[in-house]
Amino acid sequence: MNYATIKYNDIANGTGVRVSLFVSGCTHHCKGCFNAEAWDFTFGTPYTKKTEEEIIASLAPDYIAGLTVLGGEPFEPENQAEVLSLVTAVKSRYPHKTVWVYSGFTYEELLSDSRAATDTARALLQQIDVLVDGRFIEEQKNISLAFRGSENQRVINLPQTLQQG
């Protein structure tokens, strides 16, 4: 997996101050995407164990509310294993910090028969606190929405959703 950038003090992609990892690779190719350069799976820098360790260490300060993973597309099958490894390590080390993941796949697609609906994706969903789902639709763009770019996208509390079935 490659990544486009890491923001160590991000306030735009989830509640509070967050560390945000922008992975590379996305096959959705949404019209008007704010991060189209990250569609290419080879864009950016190779993600390594050292990268993971740096991200985990950067979450230590009390003022950091948690981790956000976005892209690109974290749920592309090519990205899932590394994202799951990172999220699992973060939840183990910092159980009180939240994990947000942005995906162009809907929650239902991740559980159904889409190419992203893998055992790894299901394991990842078990570790995430908030999933912002759905492709960006330029015709539904609304800059007044909190934590999402278009009106079709949802901000889903995953523990609550999983508890309610």
Side-chain angles (χ1 to χ4, degrees):
M1 179 175 84
N2 279 14
Y3 67 94
T5 192
I6 301 169
K7 293 185 178 182
Y8 291 100
N9 291 288
D10 187 2
I11 58 169
N13 296 300
T15 55
V17 180
R18 312 188 66 74
V19 175
S20 293
L21 170 66
F22 291 75
V23 303
S24 294
C26 182
T27 58
H28 299 306
H29 296 186
C30 301
K31 178 182 160 193
C33 175
F34 81 100
N35 201 12
E37 64 272 5
W39 292 351
D40 183 347
F41 284 87
T42 63
F43 179 77
T45 307
Y47 182 87
T48 64
K49 195 66 175 166
K50 182 180 178 201
T51 309
E52 184 172 299
E53 291 166 2
E54 289 172 358
I55 292 170
I56 291 168
S58 71
L59 290 161
D62 289 340
Y63 68 87
I64 300 291
L67 172 71
T68 298
V69 184
L70 58 170
E73 173 58 66
F75 277 99
E76 289 288 356
E78 297 87 340
N79 293 337
Q80 290 178 12
E82 286 86 355
V83 173
L84 177 60
S85 174
L86 172 62
V87 169
T88 301
V90 167
K91 293 304 276 186
S92 175
R93 178 106 179 251
Y94 305 108
H96 60 287
K97 298 197 185 234
T98 59
V99 173
W100 286 50
V101 176
Y102 283 73
S103 178
F105 293 101
T106 64
Y107 178 67
E108 293 79 10
E109 288 173 322
L110 292 169
L111 294 175
S112 67
D113 61 356
S114 76
R115 63 186 168 74
T118 66
D119 289 341
T120 305
R122 285 184 280 284
L124 183 53
L125 289 170
Q126 296 291 321
Q127 299 290 319
I128 296 170
D129 296 291
V130 176
L131 175 68
V132 181
D133 79 340
R135 289 162 184 77
F136 172 74
I137 299 175
E138 190 170 47
E139 294 76 22
Q140 294 182 27
K141 181 178 179 178
N142 183 340
I143 62 171
S144 68
L145 299 171
F147 308 122
R148 53 199 178 113
S150 59
E151 293 179 1
N152 63 298
Q153 295 173 315
R154 302 176 296 182
V155 179
I156 302 171
N157 178 321
L158 279 182
Q160 186 178 57
T161 298
L162 293 169
Q163 181 181 14
Q164 293 174 354

